[in-house]
Amino acid sequence: MAANGIPEDVLMDNDLIKDLVDVAKDSALLNGVLMRTKETPNSSEVVTYAPFTLFPSPVPKDTFHQALAVQTHYNRLVDRISQDSSFLEEALATTIKVDDFTGRLFNIYRHVLQEGKTQSIVLGLNRSDYMLDQNGDGSASLKQIEINTIAASFGGLASHTPNVHRHILKVAGRLEDSKRILDNNPSAGLAKGLAKAWELYGSERNIPVIRRQFEDVAKTGFLDQDKRLFVDGREVAIVYFRNGYMPQNYTEQNWEARLMMERSLAVKCPDISTHLAGTKKVQQELARPGVLERFFPGEPDVVDQIRATFAGLYTLDMGPEGDKTVAMALAKPDQFVLKPQREGGGNNLYGAEICQVLEGVKQSTERMAYILMDKVQPRPVHNYLLRLGTPLKLSTCLSELGVFGAYVRHGQDMVLNECAGHLLRTKSDEHSDGGVAAGVAVLDNPFLV
């Protein structure tokens, strides 16, 4: 691993590595770093360890703390965007013409706006993802990849992985290194947001949780005269969307269920405006000069902190500016990422794929469904990626740092705004895109250097 992480002689000690792998898998099982298997995804009888790195990965201390420090500002930014209907209209005007999925979400947003929002409690649980861009002098710059405003996952598993890496390092005889693994409990921070929203809704008893699919809500859900949401005959105080961010999540029936929930008195996490605030097109629009100042008037330090994390972002709207972006991408495709308005991993395009897509749409409005972003070039490190059914080998790896945020607004009052913890995911440099759920990345912990 080097770069002030685990020494190469440890990584190359085959006998030690073989012993540590067995220890690591047992530790993961003991600490609840678990997932259901691909073969039996709906069974609670069969589980395995969630994929993870054998060793924690080095992360520069200064950039790690920079990511934590800016998170409460990102919480405020997302919330302010969600309240600015004219900005959302302007930012997404071209996208909704050519991207049917974003258009359907925006139709729900317009419906709710015209009808009038029924709930003044807003709950946001998000995760801002970054990679560390290598600078010419050897230092690293924190650059945001995206912000997830819906179904920001792995807070639970990330809360359990620190003890796994601590134990591995102790068994490897690296006691002092084991003490450098940070405590991390995103699940508590995210739960705090849920509990605050529950309290404001007017509920006093313990929080019962039911899991339902869109289809279930469509069948048994209804709104009473006060727009309170009922599912299976039970009033729902909070709707947490674990999916709903991909087109394949929706049938016509499911779109109707989403609209019903958005119209309801229940607190939505996220509500439709916050969902739209996390789109790639909004991310690109925020990078335009003067846009951040719109949301933080009189707060230049906050603007500077947020803007420092932006990678280069470029529009593909029709016109001279979009034409310039197309030409730039076709000339040097390896320096960019082409991003559609999709979440869930595995959607972005790189290298030759960029040329293939842009050559097909460069003269068409279809190009407006994408944005272009500078490709972040992190410093690779060596590690072992432990995944069920995958042969053990020393891989060249790249890491992505996520920071969780939790906020609750009641009317105009922000009653909770916190950084809720972090998540490190690592993948082989053989893969350009894809997260843990997509079968590419694995869970990790930062080893601050």
Side-chain angles (χ1 to χ4, degrees):
M1 183 174 298
N4 297 323
I6 304 302
E8 291 289 334
D9 62 326
V10 174
L11 293 171
M12 302 306 292
D13 187 335
N14 291 333
D15 290 337
L16 174 63
I17 295 301
K18 186 180 177 184
D19 290 341
L20 288 179
V21 166
D22 290 334
V23 168
K25 292 175 182 177
D26 286 344
S27 183
L29 296 172
L30 286 168
N31 281 282
V33 183
L34 304 171
M35 62 188 294
R36 291 173 175 175
T37 65
K38 202 176 280 186
E39 294 72 25
T40 55
N42 298 313
S43 172
S44 299
E45 300 294 322
V46 183
V47 296
T48 184
Y49 60 89
F52 65 104
T53 58
L54 182 59
F55 296 107
S57 295
V59 174
K61 187 183 300 183
D62 290 347
T63 47
F64 175 79
H65 288 297
Q66 178 190 358
L68 298 190
V70 77
Q71 184 56 42
T72 54
H73 301 322
Y74 266 115
N75 290 347
R76 287 201 294 152
L77 176 60
V78 169
D79 185 53
R80 290 177 180 185
I81 293 168
S82 75
Q83 298 176 72
D84 193 332
S85 58
S86 61
F87 174 77
L88 285 173
E89 288 270 3
E90 295 162 14
L92 296 172
T94 56
T95 305
I96 60 177
K97 292 177 183 176
V98 294
D99 187 88
D100 181 63
F101 178 63
T102 308
R104 293 293 296 265
L105 292 173
F106 206 86
N107 285 342
I108 292 176
Y109 172 62
R110 281 178 172 152
H111 186 120
V112 172
L113 273 187
Q114 289 165 6
E115 191 173 86
K117 288 195 173 186
T118 56
Q119 182 52 265
S120 61
I121 303 166
V122 174
L123 167 63
L125 303 178
N126 63 62
R127 195 188 70 231
S128 186
D129 291 336
Y130 307 90
M131 295 184 88
L132 305 183
D133 202 21
Q134 283 188 86
N135 299 321
D137 61 1
S139 63
S141 297
L142 187 75
K143 295 301 173 188
Q144 188 188 58
I145 304 302
E146 64 180 350
I147 188 161
N148 302 275
T149 62
I150 180 170
S153 58
F154 294 109
L157 287 174
S159 303
H160 295 290
T161 54
N163 281 338
V164 176
H165 278 140
R166 287 184 185 122
H167 184 63
I168 293 167
L169 291 171
K170 287 175 185 175
V171 174
R174 306 192 67 81
L175 181 61
E176 290 306 309
D177 286 344
S178 74
K179 296 175 182 176
R180 291 169 62 183
I181 303 298
L182 301 169
D183 288 334
N184 188 33
N185 196 1
S187 56
L190 299 174
K192 185 175 179 181
L194 287 161
K196 188 64 179 177
W198 170 266
E199 173 194 322
L200 291 172
Y201 188 86
S203 305
E204 296 180 356
R205 54 198 173 88
N206 291 336
I207 308 175
V209 177
I210 59 172
R211 296 181 62 137
R212 294 292 183 271
Q213 297 181 335
F214 278 114
E215 292 82 359
D216 301 320
V217 177
K219 287 176 186 173
T220 71
F222 67 90
L223 305 184
D224 71 4
Q225 61 184 10
D226 298 318
K227 293 190 179 177
R228 292 184 301 167
L229 175 64
F230 290 82
V231 176
D232 292 342
R234 303 166 72 179
E235 184 180 357
V236 176
I238 300 172
V239 177
Y240 177 83
F241 290 102
R242 185 58 196 90
N243 70 7
Y245 51 84
M246 296 186 288
Q248 55 265 41
N249 298 149
Y250 291 93
T251 61
E252 283 303 317
Q253 186 184 46
N254 292 358
W255 281 115
E256 291 172 11
R258 178 71 188 264
L259 175 60
M260 177 174 65
M261 289 185 280
E262 293 294 341
R263 294 179 58 232
S264 77
L265 190 63
V267 179
K268 279 73 65 177
C269 184
D271 62 18
I272 191 67
S273 57
T274 305
H275 185 170
L276 291 168
T279 54
K280 303 297 187 291
K281 183 60 179 174
V282 166
Q283 181 187 15
Q284 178 255 305
E285 287 293 319
L286 289 172
R288 289 186 179 278
V291 175
L292 282 179
E293 286 82 354
R294 171 176 180 159
F295 296 103
F296 294 100
E299 296 186 75
D301 290 346
V302 171
V303 168
D304 289 346
Q305 286 181 59
I306 294 175
R307 188 167 283 144
T309 68
F310 286 173
L313 292 150
Y314 313 96
T315 182
L316 282 160
D317 285 353
M318 304 308 289
E321 190 179 1
D323 292 343
K324 183 180 176 183
T325 300
V326 171
M328 187 171 65
L330 291 175
K332 296 181 178 179
D334 290 334
Q335 293 184 13
F336 301 100
V337 183
L338 189 64
K339 306 176 84 170
Q341 310 300 312
R342 296 291 179 269
E343 305 296 334
N347 300 300
N348 295 336
L349 301 168
Y350 301 81
E353 292 177 318
I354 293 178
C355 296
Q356 183 181 349
V357 170
L358 284 184
E359 287 290 359
V361 302
K362 64 182 180 181
Q363 303 299 334
S364 164
T365 56
E366 289 179 46
R367 77 188 198 189
M368 300 190 304
Y370 300 87
I371 67 162
L372 192 74
M373 188 177 94
D374 284 344
K375 185 179 180 183
V376 179
Q377 307 285 355
R379 173 182 291 165
V381 298
H382 291 115
N383 211 329
Y384 293 90
L385 309 182
L386 306 186
R387 183 188 297 280
L388 182 67
T390 302
L392 182 69
K393 68 171 183 175
L394 186 62
S395 297
T396 303
C397 300
L398 308 173
S399 296
E400 186 169 325
L401 174 67
V403 180
F404 292 97
Y407 65 88
V408 178
R409 176 170 50 81
H410 192 195
Q412 293 303 309
D413 298 326
M414 189 70 89
V415 295
L416 177 74
N417 181 17
E418 295 183 358
C419 171
H422 60 268
L423 166 72
L424 194 69
R425 291 167 296 170
T426 296
K427 64 186 176 186
S428 167
D429 68 351
E430 298 169 356
H431 302 284
S432 295
D433 194 25
V436 179
V440 174
V442 305
L443 299 167
D444 199 348
N445 277 295
F447 186 83
L448 298 190
V449 295

